[in-house]
Protein backbone atom coordinates (compact mmCIF):
# COMPACT_ATOMS: atom_id res chain seq x y z
CA UNK A 1 0.00 0.00 0.00
CA UNK A 2 1.42 3.44 -0.93
CA UNK A 3 2.66 5.59 1.99
CA UNK A 4 0.22 8.46 1.19
CA UNK A 5 -2.70 6.05 1.23
CA UNK A 6 -1.54 4.52 4.50
CA UNK A 7 -1.19 7.96 6.12
CA UNK A 8 -4.61 9.05 4.89
CA UNK A 9 -6.15 5.84 6.22
CA UNK A 10 -4.50 6.37 9.61
CA UNK A 11 -5.91 9.88 9.76
CA UNK A 12 -9.40 8.58 8.95
CA UNK A 13 -9.06 5.94 11.65
CA UNK A 14 -7.96 8.56 14.21
CA UNK A 15 -10.89 10.80 13.25
CA UNK A 16 -13.25 7.85 13.46
CA UNK A 17 -11.98 6.76 16.89
CA UNK A 18 -12.08 10.34 18.17
CA UNK A 19 -15.63 10.86 16.88
CA UNK A 20 -16.75 7.52 18.31
CA UNK A 21 -15.22 8.25 21.73
CA UNK A 22 -16.71 11.76 21.76
CA UNK A 23 -20.21 10.58 20.83
CA UNK A 24 -20.05 7.64 23.25
CA UNK A 25 -18.92 9.92 26.09
CA UNK A 26 -21.70 12.42 25.32
CA UNK A 27 -24.24 9.58 25.24
CA UNK A 28 -23.00 8.14 28.53
CA UNK A 29 -23.13 11.59 30.14
CA UNK A 30 -26.64 12.19 28.86
CA UNK A 31 -27.91 8.83 30.13
CA UNK A 32 -26.12 9.34 33.46
CA UNK A 33 -27.57 12.82 33.93
CA UNK A 34 -31.06 11.61 33.02
CA UNK A 35 -30.83 8.74 35.52
CA UNK A 36 -29.44 10.98 38.28
CA UNK A 37 -32.21 13.52 37.67
CA UNK A 38 -34.84 10.83 38.28
CA UNK A 39 -33.04 9.58 41.39
CA UNK A 40 -32.64 13.08 42.83
CA UNK A 41 -36.39 13.69 42.59
CA UNK A 42 -37.08 10.57 44.66
CA UNK A 43 -34.48 11.17 47.37
CA UNK A 44 -33.89 13.90 49.94
CA UNK A 45 -30.10 13.63 49.96
CA UNK A 46 -28.08 16.40 48.32
CA UNK A 47 -25.33 14.09 47.05
CA UNK A 48 -27.11 12.95 43.89
CA UNK A 49 -28.15 16.54 43.13
CA UNK A 50 -24.56 17.73 43.35
CA UNK A 51 -23.34 14.80 41.24
CA UNK A 52 -25.84 15.85 38.61
CA UNK A 53 -24.60 19.45 38.73
CA UNK A 54 -20.99 18.26 38.48
CA UNK A 55 -21.66 16.02 35.45
CA UNK A 56 -23.53 18.83 33.70
CA UNK A 57 -20.42 20.93 34.19
CA UNK A 58 -18.47 18.72 31.76
CA UNK A 59 -16.63 20.93 29.28
CA UNK A 60 -17.24 20.02 25.65
CA UNK A 61 -13.80 21.28 24.62
CA UNK A 62 -12.05 19.06 27.18
CA UNK A 63 -14.20 16.11 26.12
CA UNK A 64 -13.23 16.70 22.49
CA UNK A 65 -9.54 16.92 23.40
CA UNK A 66 -9.85 13.66 25.35
CA UNK A 67 -11.46 12.00 22.32
CA UNK A 68 -8.65 13.21 20.04
CA UNK A 69 -6.07 11.88 22.49
CA UNK A 70 -7.78 8.50 22.51
CA UNK A 71 -7.77 8.55 18.70
CA UNK A 72 -4.04 9.27 18.49
CA UNK A 73 -3.34 6.12 20.49
CA UNK A 74 -3.80 4.25 17.20
CA UNK A 75 -0.78 5.98 15.71
CA UNK A 76 2.86 5.19 16.22
CA UNK A 77 4.30 8.65 16.91
CA UNK A 78 7.56 7.81 18.65
CA UNK A 79 8.78 10.50 21.07
CA UNK A 80 5.75 12.70 20.36
CA UNK A 81 3.52 9.99 21.82
CA UNK A 82 4.94 10.68 25.29
CA UNK A 83 3.93 14.34 25.12
CA UNK A 84 0.49 13.47 23.78
CA UNK A 85 0.00 11.14 26.75
CA UNK A 86 0.98 13.96 29.09
CA UNK A 87 -1.44 16.27 27.33
CA UNK A 88 -4.21 13.69 27.66
CA UNK A 89 -3.43 13.26 31.34
CA UNK A 90 -3.60 17.05 31.75
CA UNK A 91 -7.06 17.12 30.12
CA UNK A 92 -8.33 14.31 32.37
CA UNK A 93 -6.99 15.96 35.54
CA UNK A 94 -8.42 19.35 34.50
CA UNK A 95 -11.90 17.94 33.92
CA UNK A 96 -11.74 15.90 37.15
CA UNK A 97 -10.80 19.09 39.00
CA UNK A 98 -13.79 20.91 37.50
CA UNK A 99 -16.11 18.06 38.55
CA UNK A 100 -14.67 17.94 42.10
CA UNK A 101 -14.81 21.72 42.54
CA UNK A 102 -18.38 21.92 41.27
CA UNK A 103 -19.50 19.10 43.58
CA UNK A 104 -17.76 20.38 46.72
CA UNK A 105 -18.67 24.07 46.27
CA UNK A 106 -22.32 23.19 45.58
CA UNK A 107 -22.35 20.96 48.65
CA UNK A 108 -20.86 23.75 50.80
CA UNK A 109 -23.30 26.37 49.51
CA UNK A 110 -26.29 24.11 50.18
CA UNK A 111 -25.35 23.26 53.76
CA UNK A 112 -24.08 26.77 54.46
CA UNK A 113 -27.47 28.28 53.63
CA UNK A 114 -29.32 25.46 55.37
CA UNK A 115 -27.47 25.98 58.66
CA UNK A 116 -27.71 29.76 58.60
CA UNK A 117 -30.72 31.02 60.54
CA UNK A 118 -30.72 34.28 58.59
CA UNK A 119 -30.38 32.77 55.12
CA UNK A 120 -26.98 34.43 54.80
CA UNK A 121 -23.79 32.55 55.41
CA UNK A 122 -21.49 34.59 53.17
CA UNK A 123 -18.35 34.32 55.26
CA UNK A 124 -18.69 30.57 55.81
CA UNK A 125 -19.54 29.82 52.18
CA UNK A 126 -16.66 31.99 50.99
CA UNK A 127 -14.18 30.39 53.40
CA UNK A 128 -15.03 26.77 52.71
CA UNK A 129 -15.50 27.30 48.98
CA UNK A 130 -12.07 28.88 48.78
CA UNK A 131 -10.56 26.08 50.86
CA UNK A 132 -12.19 23.42 48.68
CA UNK A 133 -10.86 25.04 45.51
CA UNK A 134 -7.37 25.34 46.97
CA UNK A 135 -7.28 21.68 48.01
CA UNK A 136 -8.67 20.36 44.70
CA UNK A 137 -6.45 22.42 42.43
CA UNK A 138 -3.38 21.89 44.61
CA UNK A 139 -3.83 18.14 44.21
CA UNK A 140 -4.41 18.59 40.48
CA UNK A 141 -1.29 20.74 40.16
CA UNK A 142 0.87 18.20 41.99
CA UNK A 143 -0.45 15.35 39.81
CA UNK A 144 0.37 17.26 36.64
CA UNK A 145 3.83 18.25 37.88
CA UNK A 146 4.52 14.66 38.90
CA UNK A 147 3.38 13.44 35.48
CA UNK A 148 5.84 15.84 33.84
CA UNK A 149 8.66 14.07 35.70
CA UNK A 150 9.48 16.60 38.39
CA UNK A 151 10.23 15.69 42.01
CA UNK A 152 7.03 16.56 43.86
CA UNK A 153 8.59 15.95 47.29
CA UNK A 154 11.17 18.70 46.79
CA UNK A 155 8.49 21.02 45.45
CA UNK A 156 6.27 20.45 48.51
CA UNK A 157 9.24 21.08 50.83
CA UNK A 158 10.04 24.32 48.99
CA UNK A 159 6.43 25.45 49.13
CA UNK A 160 6.39 24.65 52.86
CA UNK A 161 9.39 26.86 53.57
CA UNK A 162 7.97 29.64 51.41
CA UNK A 163 4.61 29.29 53.13
CA UNK A 164 6.23 29.74 56.56
CA UNK A 165 7.99 32.91 55.38
CA UNK A 166 4.79 34.32 53.92
CA UNK A 167 2.86 33.35 57.06
CA UNK A 168 5.25 35.28 59.28
CA UNK A 169 4.99 38.31 56.99
CA UNK A 170 1.19 38.39 57.04
CA UNK A 171 0.63 37.06 60.54
CA UNK A 172 -2.02 39.61 61.52
CA UNK A 173 -4.00 39.06 58.31
CA UNK A 174 -3.89 35.29 58.75
CA UNK A 175 -4.99 35.76 62.37
CA UNK A 176 -8.12 37.57 61.15
CA UNK A 177 -8.72 34.92 58.49
CA UNK A 178 -8.61 32.07 60.98
CA UNK A 179 -10.68 34.11 63.42
CA UNK A 180 -13.30 34.44 60.69
CA UNK A 181 -13.26 30.67 60.25
CA UNK A 182 -13.65 30.28 64.02
CA UNK A 183 -16.68 32.60 64.00
CA UNK A 184 -18.25 30.64 61.13
CA UNK A 185 -17.76 27.27 62.84
CA UNK A 186 -18.45 28.22 66.46
CA UNK A 187 -21.19 30.79 65.66
CA UNK A 188 -20.94 33.08 68.73
CA UNK A 189 -23.14 35.43 66.70
CA UNK A 190 -24.75 35.66 63.27
CA UNK A 191 -25.96 38.39 60.94
CA UNK A 192 -28.89 40.17 62.62
CA UNK A 193 -27.79 39.48 66.21
CA UNK A 194 -27.59 42.36 68.69
CA UNK A 195 -24.22 42.16 70.44
CA UNK A 196 -22.19 44.14 72.97
CA UNK A 197 -18.39 44.13 72.77
CA UNK A 198 -16.82 46.11 75.61
CA UNK A 199 -18.66 49.45 75.63
CA UNK A 200 -19.71 49.18 71.95
CA UNK A 201 -23.01 47.69 70.87
CA UNK A 202 -25.15 47.21 67.78
CA UNK A 203 -26.63 44.80 65.22
CA UNK A 204 -24.31 42.57 63.18
CA UNK A 205 -24.59 43.50 59.49
CA UNK A 206 -21.83 41.46 57.85
CA UNK A 207 -19.28 38.85 58.85
CA UNK A 208 -16.36 39.17 56.45
CA UNK A 209 -13.10 37.32 56.05
CA UNK A 210 -11.07 40.00 57.86
CA UNK A 211 -13.62 42.21 59.64
CA UNK A 212 -17.14 42.11 61.07
CA UNK A 213 -19.40 45.13 60.65
CA UNK A 214 -21.92 46.21 63.25
CA UNK A 215 -24.55 48.94 62.99
CA UNK A 216 -24.68 50.87 66.27
CA UNK A 217 -27.87 52.24 67.82
CA UNK A 218 -26.79 55.79 67.00
CA UNK A 219 -26.50 54.88 63.30
CA UNK A 220 -22.79 54.67 62.55
CA UNK A 221 -21.10 51.50 61.36
CA UNK A 222 -18.61 49.85 63.69
CA UNK A 223 -15.85 47.76 62.08
CA UNK A 224 -14.25 45.09 64.27
CA UNK A 225 -11.23 42.98 63.48
CA UNK A 226 -12.28 39.32 63.63
CA UNK A 227 -9.22 38.53 65.73
CA UNK A 228 -10.28 41.18 68.27
CA UNK A 229 -13.80 39.75 68.41
CA UNK A 230 -12.69 36.19 69.10
CA UNK A 231 -10.46 37.42 71.95
CA UNK A 232 -13.20 39.60 73.49
CA UNK A 233 -16.15 38.84 75.74
CA UNK A 234 -19.26 39.14 73.57
CA UNK A 235 -22.77 39.57 74.96
CA UNK A 236 -25.32 38.28 72.43
CA UNK A 237 -28.80 39.59 73.27
CA UNK A 238 -30.43 37.97 70.22
CA UNK A 239 -30.09 34.60 71.95
CA UNK A 240 -31.70 35.78 75.15
CA UNK A 241 -35.00 33.91 75.47
CA UNK A 242 -36.24 35.81 78.52
CA UNK A 243 -35.03 38.87 80.41
CA UNK A 244 -34.28 38.83 84.15
CA UNK A 245 -35.11 42.19 85.73
CA UNK A 246 -33.75 43.30 89.11
CA UNK A 247 -34.71 46.66 90.55
CA UNK A 248 -34.68 48.25 93.98
CA UNK A 249 -36.26 51.13 95.81
CA UNK A 250 -36.41 52.57 99.31
CA UNK A 251 -39.04 54.07 101.63
CA UNK A 252 -38.49 56.53 104.46
CA UNK A 253 -37.72 55.44 108.02
CA UNK A 254 -41.05 56.85 109.21
CA UNK A 255 -42.82 53.97 107.43
CA UNK A 256 -44.71 51.73 109.89
CA UNK A 257 -44.05 47.98 110.25
CA UNK A 258 -47.49 47.14 108.85
CA UNK A 259 -46.80 49.29 105.77
CA UNK A 260 -43.40 47.62 105.32
CA UNK A 261 -44.98 44.19 105.50
CA UNK A 262 -47.57 45.05 102.84
CA UNK A 263 -45.10 46.39 100.25
CA UNK A 264 -43.80 43.03 98.82
CA UNK A 265 -47.32 41.77 98.21
CA UNK A 266 -48.33 45.00 96.54
CA UNK A 267 -45.35 44.93 94.17
CA UNK A 268 -45.98 41.26 93.38
CA UNK A 269 -49.57 42.00 92.35
CA UNK A 270 -48.43 44.89 90.11
CA UNK A 271 -46.00 42.61 88.26
CA UNK A 272 -48.44 39.72 87.89
CA UNK A 273 -50.98 42.09 86.33
CA UNK A 274 -48.64 42.55 83.37
CA UNK A 275 -48.68 40.09 80.48
CA UNK A 276 -45.58 38.06 79.60
CA UNK A 277 -44.08 38.31 83.10
CA UNK A 278 -43.12 35.78 85.76
CA UNK A 279 -42.71 37.03 89.31
CA UNK A 280 -39.71 35.70 91.23
CA UNK A 281 -39.38 37.55 94.55
CA UNK A 282 -39.76 40.84 96.42
CA UNK A 283 -38.00 41.36 99.78
CA UNK A 284 -37.30 43.94 102.45
CA UNK A 285 -33.60 43.81 101.75
CA UNK A 286 -31.99 45.92 104.44
CA UNK A 287 -31.36 49.27 106.03
CA UNK A 288 -29.86 52.06 103.94
CA UNK A 289 -28.41 55.36 105.09
CA UNK A 290 -31.76 57.08 104.72
CA UNK A 291 -34.24 54.36 103.76
CA UNK A 292 -35.66 50.90 104.24
CA UNK A 293 -34.41 49.13 101.11
CA UNK A 294 -36.39 46.65 98.98
CA UNK A 295 -35.24 44.41 96.10
CA UNK A 296 -37.56 42.94 93.44
CA UNK A 297 -36.81 40.27 90.79
CA UNK A 298 -39.06 39.21 87.94
CA UNK A 299 -38.76 37.86 84.39
CA UNK A 300 -40.04 39.24 81.10
CA UNK A 301 -40.86 36.23 78.90
CA UNK A 302 -39.73 37.97 75.73
CA UNK A 303 -36.27 39.44 75.00
CA UNK A 304 -37.68 42.58 73.35
CA UNK A 305 -36.23 45.63 75.10
CA UNK A 306 -39.18 47.93 74.37
CA UNK A 307 -41.57 45.40 75.91
CA UNK A 308 -39.40 45.26 79.04
CA UNK A 309 -39.40 49.06 79.36
CA UNK A 310 -43.17 49.24 78.90
CA UNK A 311 -43.70 46.66 81.65
CA UNK A 312 -41.25 48.36 84.01
CA UNK A 313 -42.96 51.70 83.42
CA UNK A 314 -46.38 50.21 84.18
CA UNK A 315 -45.05 48.65 87.41
CA UNK A 316 -43.42 51.93 88.47
CA UNK A 317 -46.62 53.94 87.87
CA UNK A 318 -48.70 51.40 89.78
CA UNK A 319 -46.27 51.62 92.73
CA UNK A 320 -46.42 55.44 92.78
CA UNK A 321 -50.23 55.44 92.81
CA UNK A 322 -50.53 52.69 95.43
CA UNK A 323 -47.91 54.20 97.74
CA UNK A 324 -49.63 57.58 97.57
CA UNK A 325 -52.94 55.91 98.44
CA UNK A 326 -51.44 54.09 101.44
CA UNK A 327 -49.40 57.12 102.56
CA UNK A 328 -46.07 55.39 101.96
CA UNK A 329 -43.29 57.74 100.92
CA UNK A 330 -40.33 56.91 98.71
CA UNK A 331 -37.01 57.71 100.32
CA UNK A 332 -34.52 60.19 99.04
CA UNK A 333 -31.12 61.15 100.48
CA UNK A 334 -31.62 63.06 103.74
CA UNK A 335 -29.47 64.12 106.70
CA UNK A 336 -30.68 65.00 110.18
CA UNK A 337 -28.50 67.38 112.18
CA UNK A 338 -28.77 67.65 115.98
CA UNK A 339 -27.42 70.93 117.45
CA UNK A 340 -26.51 71.29 121.14
CA UNK A 341 -25.07 74.24 123.06
CA UNK A 342 -22.03 74.06 125.30
CA UNK A 343 -22.27 75.11 128.99
CA UNK A 344 -20.38 78.34 128.28
CA UNK A 345 -22.82 79.25 125.50
CA UNK A 346 -25.76 78.52 127.79
CA UNK A 347 -24.33 80.80 130.53
CA UNK A 348 -24.11 83.65 128.03
CA UNK A 349 -27.65 83.19 126.79
CA UNK A 350 -29.45 86.58 127.32
CA UNK A 351 -32.74 84.85 127.92
CA UNK A 352 -31.37 83.40 131.17
CA UNK A 353 -29.60 86.61 132.33
Amino acid sequence: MPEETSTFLDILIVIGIAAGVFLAAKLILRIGCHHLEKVSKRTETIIDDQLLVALRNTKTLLLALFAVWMGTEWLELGRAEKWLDRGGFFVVVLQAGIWATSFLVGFIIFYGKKRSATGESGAGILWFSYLARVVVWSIAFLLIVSNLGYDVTALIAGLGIGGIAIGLAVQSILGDLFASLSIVLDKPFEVGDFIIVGDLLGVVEKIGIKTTRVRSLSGEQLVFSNNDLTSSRIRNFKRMYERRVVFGFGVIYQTTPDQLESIPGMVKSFIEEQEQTRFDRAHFKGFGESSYDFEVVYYVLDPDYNLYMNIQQAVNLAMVRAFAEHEIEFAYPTRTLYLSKSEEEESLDPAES
Side-chain angles (χ1 to χ4, degrees):
M1 183 181 293
E3 185 176 347
E4 291 83 1
T5 305
S6 176
T7 302
F8 181 72
L9 182 60
D10 288 340
I11 292 174
L12 288 179
I13 292 174
V14 168
I15 293 174
I17 293 174
V21 170
F22 181 80
L23 293 175
K26 292 289 284 186
L27 181 62
I28 292 171
L29 281 173
R30 184 162 186 169
I31 294 173
C33 289
H34 182 69
H35 178 71
L36 277 174
E37 188 173 4
K38 287 184 177 180
V39 172
S40 64
K41 290 179 180 179
R42 297 196 305 265
T43 61
E44 297 181 358
T45 179
I46 191 63
I47 295 177
D48 46 16
D49 297 270
Q50 293 309 314
L51 283 174
L52 178 61
V53 172
L55 287 178
R56 284 177 174 171
N57 206 18
T58 302
K59 303 301 180 183
T60 303
L61 177 60
L62 294 179
L63 192 60
L65 291 174
F66 173 78
V68 171
W69 172 53
M70 293 299 294
T72 59
E73 292 295 306
W74 169 263
L75 302 176
E76 295 290 339
L77 299 175
R79 295 181 62 184
E81 188 174 346
K82 178 180 179 182
W83 290 102
L84 282 173
D85 289 342
R86 287 177 175 175
F89 182 79
F90 174 79
V91 169
V92 171
V93 171
L94 187 60
Q95 182 58 65
I98 293 172
W99 282 336
T101 302
S102 178
F103 177 82
L104 291 175
V105 171
F107 194 84
I108 290 166
I109 290 173
F110 176 81
Y111 276 102
K113 289 183 177 180
K114 184 178 180 181
R115 291 186 61 185
S116 176
T118 62
E120 294 186 24
S121 55
I125 291 174
L126 186 62
W127 244 110
F128 286 108
S129 299
Y130 175 76
L131 185 62
R133 288 187 177 96
V134 168
V135 170
V136 169
W137 291 115
S138 295
I139 294 173
F141 174 74
L142 293 175
L143 287 173
I144 292 170
V145 170
S146 177
N147 183 256
L148 291 173
Y150 293 98
D151 186 1
V152 177
T153 306
L155 179 62
I156 293 175
L159 291 175
I161 296 172
I164 293 173
I166 294 172
L168 292 174
V170 293
Q171 187 175 3
S172 62
I173 296 176
L174 290 176
D176 287 326
L177 291 176
F178 284 106
S180 172
L181 180 61
S182 175
I183 291 172
V184 169
L185 293 176
D186 194 43
K187 293 186 182 295
F189 55 83
E190 295 179 337
V191 173
D193 288 3
F194 185 87
I195 64 172
I196 296 179
V197 183
D199 57 349
L200 301 174
L201 66 162
V203 178
V204 178
E205 285 190 334
K206 181 182 178 182
I207 303 172
I209 291 180
K210 190 177 188 304
T211 61
T212 293
R213 304 185 183 186
V214 176
R215 182 68 59 183
S216 72
L217 293 179
S218 54
E220 72 271 20
Q221 188 182 68
L222 306 174
V223 181
F224 294 92
S225 164
N226 287 330
N227 197 23
D228 291 341
L229 283 177
T230 54
S231 59
S232 301
R233 290 180 175 85
I234 301 171
R235 300 172 66 188
N236 191 337
F237 282 85
K238 184 68 176 291
R239 298 180 184 178
M240 179 173 61
Y241 301 106
E242 60 181 18
R243 186 183 296 270
R244 184 176 186 265
V245 182
V246 180
F247 73 95
F249 62 91
V251 296
I252 62 175
Y253 272 108
Q254 287 73 27
T255 307
T256 65
D258 290 339
Q259 289 174 320
L260 290 173
E261 190 175 2
S262 66
I263 289 174
M266 293 167 58
V267 176
K268 177 181 179 181
S269 66
F270 301 150
I271 293 173
E272 290 179 341
E273 289 173 359
Q274 308 300 317
E275 295 182 356
Q276 292 189 303
T277 59
R278 184 176 76 251
F279 177 79
D280 186 17
R281 62 182 178 83
H283 290 101
F284 174 18
K285 180 181 177 180
F287 303 88
E289 291 186 358
S290 56
S291 63
Y292 294 127
D293 294 333
F294 287 80
E295 184 176 75
V296 181
V297 180
Y298 69 95
Y299 291 87
V300 178
L301 306 182
D302 190 291
D304 184 64
Y305 186 79
N306 289 333
L307 175 63
Y308 150 64
M309 288 304 298
N310 289 336
I311 291 173
Q312 187 62 51
Q313 176 179 260
V315 172
N316 291 343
L317 291 173
M319 288 174 58
V320 170
R321 294 192 185 99
F323 283 20
E325 182 181 345
H326 291 82
E327 298 182 351
I328 301 173
E329 295 184 29
F330 287 101
Y332 49 88
T334 57
R335 293 290 185 273
T336 302
L337 299 178
Y338 295 93
L339 302 177
S340 61
K341 295 181 179 180
S342 64
E343 294 181 359
E344 182 178 350
E345 288 175 331
E346 290 179 354
S347 64
L348 296 175
D349 192 337
E352 297 180 0
S353 302

